[in-house]
């Protein structure tokens, strides 16, 4: 592999949270960008464009084979050079845990399969297992880069990452539901007297509003379980994490303020949200 590969893919997607921002130590921006490019490209294979489910699964299988080839010291295919050339260098330089990268792919594959089958999540525990693979590996990879490995830090990182994933679900209801993606646990829907037809109508009712409020509260309490981590991480990583946490909480504020209308309106972080987020980050 070229020891000086071309730069990783640029961050071109809308993101709530900073990715390899100026707060990140310069020596870690390249590995973080390589991880982001790997995850972002896999996510695009799973849900962007007109491909069929079979085509998406085939592409993800090939992508996974390239990851496993790198892990075995072999050359990947030439299909995604902008992803795997930088990643190969970072795997070697930083000993990135490959099983965490593989967990991300297993979650993307599950997304395709569930969407294809019109399947959802029966219980919160099932959705949490998805978050364990779709979100938590990112936090653990970042902690690995910073040399943080203690069990408490990992638990708190998992709580923050799970919360961010849940927040993304409740933020994207107006996008996911028309595409056949159902992340609201069926047990919660039943407890509030909500069925899929009500959700797919994208019209708030008293029942759907109560459901979304309950799920937003779950995400907020999960985030609060992880926030002590910001006080135990030194320097720039702690400040980066404060802004990540506050970005997630700001989205929840907007979900709450919409009072169920997030079914038909996607809340977003705007430029004018930044001063409030920074003030909250400073006060943590």
């Amino acid at each position: 592999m070229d020891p000086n590969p071309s730069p990783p893919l640029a961050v071109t997607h809308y993101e709530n949270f900073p990715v390899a921002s100026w707060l990140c130590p310069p020596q870690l921006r390249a590995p973080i960008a390589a991880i982001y490019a790997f995850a972002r490209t896999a996510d695009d294979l799973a849900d962007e464009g007109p491909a069929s489910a079979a085509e998406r699964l085939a592409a993800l299988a090939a992508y996974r084979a390239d990851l496993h080839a790198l892990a075995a010291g072999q050359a990947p295919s030439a299909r995604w050079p902008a992803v795997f050339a930088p990643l190969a260098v970072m795997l070697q330089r930083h000993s990135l845990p490959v099983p965490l990268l593989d967990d991300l792919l297993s979650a993307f594959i599950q997304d395709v399969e569930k969407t294809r089958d019109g399947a959802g999540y029966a219980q919160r525990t099932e959705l949490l297992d998805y978050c364990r693979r779709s979100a938590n590996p990112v936090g653990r990879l970042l902690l690995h880069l910073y040399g943080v490995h203690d069990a408490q830090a990992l638990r708190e990182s998992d709580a923050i990452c799970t919360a961010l994933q849940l927040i993304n679900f409740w933020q994207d209801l107006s996008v996911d539901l028309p595409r056949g993606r159902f992340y609201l646990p069926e047990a919660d829907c039943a407890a509030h007297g909500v069925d899929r037809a009500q959700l797919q109508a994208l019209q708030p009712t008293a029942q759907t509003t109560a459901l979304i409020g309950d799920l937003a509260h779950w995400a907020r309490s999960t985030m609060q379980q992880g926030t002590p981590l910001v006080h135990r991480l030194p320097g720039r990583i702690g400040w980066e994490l404060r802004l990540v946490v506050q970005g997630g909480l700001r989205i929840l504020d907007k979900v709450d303020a919409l009072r169920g209308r997030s079914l038909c309106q996607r809340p977003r972080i705007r430029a004018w949200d930044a001063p409030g987020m920074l003030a909250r980050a400073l006060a943590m």
Side-chain angles (χ1 to χ4, degrees):
M1 283 291 175
D2 183 352
N4 298 296
S6 57
L9 295 180
V11 176
T12 57
H13 289 262
Y14 167 79
E15 299 289 341
N16 289 334
F17 318 114
V19 178
S21 78
W22 61 271
L23 282 172
C24 176
Q27 70 273 19
L28 294 184
R29 288 175 189 165
I32 290 172
I35 292 167
Y36 174 84
F38 172 84
R40 182 73 262 176
T41 301
D43 193 22
D44 287 349
L45 292 174
D47 67 8
E48 293 295 328
S52 68
E55 290 168 333
R56 295 185 191 284
L57 291 172
L60 286 167
Y63 198 78
R64 198 174 203 175
D66 279 354
L67 173 64
H68 292 173
L70 282 188
Q74 302 168 1
S77 73
R79 191 168 175 180
W80 297 281
V83 172
F84 287 107
L87 186 63
V89 175
M90 298 308 155
L91 283 173
Q92 182 176 28
R93 186 174 297 167
H94 296 280
S95 301
L96 297 178
V98 173
L100 293 177
L101 297 170
D102 194 65
D103 277 346
L104 292 172
L105 297 185
S106 76
F108 295 136
I109 290 167
Q110 179 174 307
D111 260 336
V112 176
E113 292 173 339
K114 279 191 174 286
T115 302
R116 176 197 62 195
D117 300 338
Y121 292 83
Q123 305 283 344
R124 290 187 181 188
T125 52
E126 186 183 359
L127 190 59
L128 288 174
D129 178 69
Y130 171 79
C131 295
R132 178 186 61 79
R133 291 173 288 118
S134 69
N136 297 4
V138 175
R140 288 181 172 238
L141 284 162
L142 294 178
L143 289 184
H144 174 84
L145 289 172
Y146 281 97
V148 177
H149 304 288
D150 67 274
Q152 183 66 21
L154 293 174
R155 283 194 295 271
E156 291 169 352
S157 172
D158 288 348
I160 290 172
C161 291
T162 289
L164 292 172
Q165 180 71 88
L166 294 174
I167 291 165
N168 187 245
F169 292 151
W170 318 145
Q171 177 187 21
D172 282 353
L173 292 171
S174 63
V175 177
D176 286 335
L177 289 169
R179 298 177 71 176
R181 289 190 162 192
F182 297 93
Y183 295 108
L184 301 97
E186 293 167 7
D188 288 85
C189 292
H192 286 278
V194 174
D195 59 28
R196 281 199 183 184
Q198 288 175 278
L199 295 169
Q200 289 176 311
L202 303 182
Q203 294 297 320
T205 66
Q207 291 80 10
T208 61
T209 297
L211 169 64
I212 293 168
D214 190 19
L215 293 173
H217 175 75
W218 174 33
R220 192 181 294 274
S221 64
T222 303
M223 180 71 83
Q224 290 166 348
Q225 293 170 26
T227 53
L229 183 61
V230 306
H231 301 292
R232 298 198 297 109
L233 296 181
R236 289 179 172 184
I237 182 177
W239 286 106
E240 176 99 9
L241 186 59
R242 286 171 188 241
L243 290 175
V244 168
V245 167
Q246 291 305 325
L249 293 175
R250 183 60 183 142
I251 287 293
L252 285 178
D253 291 342
K254 290 172 178 277
V255 169
D256 289 340
L258 285 169
R259 295 190 59 81
R261 294 194 306 280
S262 54
L263 268 179
C264 52
Q265 180 180 339
R266 185 180 191 270
R268 295 173 64 120
I269 296 291
R270 304 290 185 180
W272 53 81
D273 293 308
M277 288 167 51
L278 181 58
R280 287 183 177 186
L282 289 168
M284 289 180 76

